[in-house]
Amino acid sequence: MQQVTRAGTPVDVEGSFPAVGQAAPPLTLTNTDLTDVTLVNWAGKRKVLNILPSVDTPTCAMSTRRFNELASRLANTVVLVVSADLPFAAKRFCGAEGLDEVETLSTFRHPAFHKDWGVALCSGPMSGLCARAVVVLDEQDRVIHSQLVEEIKEQPDYDAALSALS
C-alpha cells in the first residue's frame, strides 16, 4: 500500500498506480451528460488525466484551471479531470469558471476506478475520494508520465506532464 500526505499527515492509498510504459488500466467514468465513457471515446488522442479529490477544494480548482489553460496549446490531446464530484457539480464549476478546454468525469457510479488506477484514499477524512495524480497517455493508451502527488494539498508537476507530450 502506498501513502501520500494531507497537511503532513500520512494517508493510505490502495491500488496499483500506473507506471510509465504500462498500458492504461481500463476505466469507465460518467461525463456531464450522465453518459458512461471509456478510453475508447478518445481513441487516437493523447490523454492527460488530472485526477483529484474534488473541484470544490482550492488546490483541485487551481489545477483544473491550470490544465484548462494549458490544454488549448496541446495538439491531439484531451485533458480529462477525474473526481468523485457529481457531474452536475463539475459542469457547474467549469461553467462558472469559463473552463471549456477540459472534460470533467465522475467516479460516482464507478468506484472501481479508485483502486484500478491506484488512487483510492482509504484512510483519513478524505477516505473514499481520489488521491491527487496526473497520468499522461499516448495515442495507444500507454502511460508516458505518471505522478501520484505526495502531498494532497500541493499542485502536480505541470512541466513534467507537458514535457511527456513533446
Side-chain angles (χ1 to χ4, degrees):
M1 184 170 304
Q2 299 182 86
Q3 283 192 329
V4 295
T5 59
R6 180 177 178 268
T9 301
V11 179
D12 293 328
V13 181
E14 283 186 300
S16 180
F17 189 66
V20 171
Q22 290 182 329
L27 66 76
T28 301
L29 297 165
T30 304
N31 70 14
T32 58
D33 295 329
L34 298 178
T35 302
D36 288 348
V37 295
T38 68
L39 291 174
V40 172
N41 290 80
W42 301 279
K45 289 189 176 254
R46 303 180 305 174
K47 297 149 204 78
V48 177
L49 282 81
N50 181 29
I51 304 167
L52 44 89
S54 172
V55 294
D56 281 331
T57 67
T59 305
C60 297
M62 187 181 310
S63 73
T64 302
R65 285 185 206 103
R66 181 73 175 131
F67 272 118
N68 183 77
E69 174 189 328
L70 297 170
S72 63
R73 303 180 207 158
L74 304 173
N76 196 38
T77 305
V78 61
V79 176
L80 307 173
V81 178
V82 179
S83 73
D85 291 308
L86 291 176
F88 315 110
K91 185 175 184 176
R92 183 180 61 246
F93 170 80
C94 287
E97 295 281 332
L99 307 180
D100 57 5
E101 298 289 336
V102 297
E103 295 186 42
T104 57
L105 301 172
S106 177
T107 66
F108 89 107
R109 287 195 295 228
H110 310 286
F113 173 85
H114 298 89
K115 286 186 184 176
D116 292 348
W117 282 72
V119 294
L121 295 176
C122 59
S123 66
M126 296 178 73
S127 182
L129 297 176
C130 294
R132 182 176 316 287
V134 175
V135 180
V136 180
L137 307 177
D138 67 11
E139 294 88 346
Q140 291 79 40
D141 295 334
R142 294 206 79 63
V143 178
I144 57 174
H145 170 79
S146 64
Q147 177 193 14
L148 181 62
V149 179
E150 293 179 20
E151 169 57 54
I152 292 172
K153 292 185 172 193
E154 295 294 323
Q155 294 294 309
D157 186 342
Y158 300 106
D159 292 337
L162 292 180
S163 70
L165 294 166
S166 55

